[in-house]
Amino acid sequence: MFIGNKNYIYSTNVRDNDILRNSFNILVRKTFCFDFTEWYNAGYWGEMYIPHVLSDGERVVSNVSVNIMQFDICGIKKNYIQLGTVMTDSEYCGKGLNRYIMENILEKYRDSTDGIYLFANDTVLDYYPKFGFVPSKEYEYFMPCSGMADVKPYVLERASISQERHSVGLYNAITGYCNDDGFTNQNDRMYMDKNPGLYQFWMAEGFWERIYYIPEKGAYVAADMEGKVLHIYQVFGKKYIETRRLAKSFGEGVEEVVTGYTPVCKEEFQIREHKEEDCTLFIMGEDLQRIEKDKIMFPVLSHA
């Protein structure tokens, strides 16, 4: 199609086209300083991550990626679209390429999903409202840790991808966590359903260093310490993990726990607005108003 006075090729067949995929990864590296090569080579790039690209010949010059997101929110299934990897080559900025892609995506998905959302950096906060997106607050849950002298810690094992029992065990925990339709999550009120590929992307990007195994529960936890604050990003397992016991497992120096998801036992926590530097949530669709209204947050490991 012609945009301005130049002909571009619009495609969504990036994953299975070697030339487009390689050019796409070049632009991702140029824009974001990473790429999807390892994720693709490991077989985790599935059907739920769909770049929409414009190319100048065989060169990808602009993209908006569609992430098919399925969530379970307190037992209710929701189908959302998360937009990400929004980029245009610097040589092609100002030509309306990204707008063309965005308008095509919204026309395709606006009426066939429960809502569309994205996380924007501070340089483009005026851009997305032009398409009908509105900013939304998220809320995070935290627990001050004091008076834990009598709390019994869990025994933790540091999981390693080089240990087959853990690499296989975590994969099984993730796929069971995502795909068991009879599973009622006891830790997370809003969890990502049926998208193990996105979890594996996070593992490939360094989260393996934050994975611990709890033999007593047969569960894995993604967590790390930042100063005296314990960040619990996700629990993978079918049994309830006691936050205070988990905090005690990281030693006596933990003064606060912050979760990267909305805990089921909200009454055990305090709540505050979640603020992340250079990151604003934009939403489209009435259903997604629940994020701010019900004081919940998209799990950290669901960000694409």
Side-chain angles (χ1 to χ4, degrees), residues 20-31:
L20 278 183
R21 188 179 65 255
N22 290 335
S23 181
F24 171 75
N25 275 320
I26 289 171
L27 184 55
V28 174
R29 284 195 298 272
K30 182 178 179 180
T31 308

Side-chain angles (χ1 to χ4, degrees), residues 70-78 80 139-141 177 183-193 199 233-235 240 259-269 271 290-291 293-299:
Q70 296 176 314
F71 284 96
D72 185 298
I73 306 177
C74 298
I76 300 173
K77 305 294 184 181
K78 290 294 179 181
Y80 299 134
Y139 290 85
E140 68 180 14
Y141 290 77
Y177 183 88
F183 171 43
T184 300
N185 196 296
Q186 297 188 50
N187 297 288
D188 190 343
R189 295 176 65 89
M190 179 182 185
Y191 71 92
M192 185 168 59
D193 195 19
Y199 284 121
Y233 301 102
Q234 196 75 66
V235 175
Y240 173 62
T259 64
Y261 54 91
T262 306
V264 169
C265 297
K266 295 168 65 174
E267 65 278 0
E268 297 179 359
F269 293 81
I271 187 171
R290 69 172 60 217
I291 300 299
K293 179 183 177 182
D294 296 342
K295 291 184 168 55
I296 55 181
M297 67 181 296
F298 285 103

Side-chain angles (χ1 to χ4, degrees), residues 90-105:
S90 57
E91 297 178 29
Y92 292 80
C93 287
K95 300 180 183 297
L97 305 187
N98 212 255
R99 171 181 284 276
Y100 181 90
I101 298 172
M102 185 71 74
E103 289 174 346
N104 272 271
I105 288 173

Side-chain angles (χ1 to χ4, degrees), residues 238-256:
K238 299 184 178 181
K239 295 182 179 179
Y240 173 62
I241 302 299
E242 298 177 46
T243 303
R244 288 168 63 82
R245 287 190 64 187
L246 183 58
K248 188 69 174 290
S249 306
F250 282 81
E252 301 294 337
V254 180
E255 295 185 357
E256 182 178 274

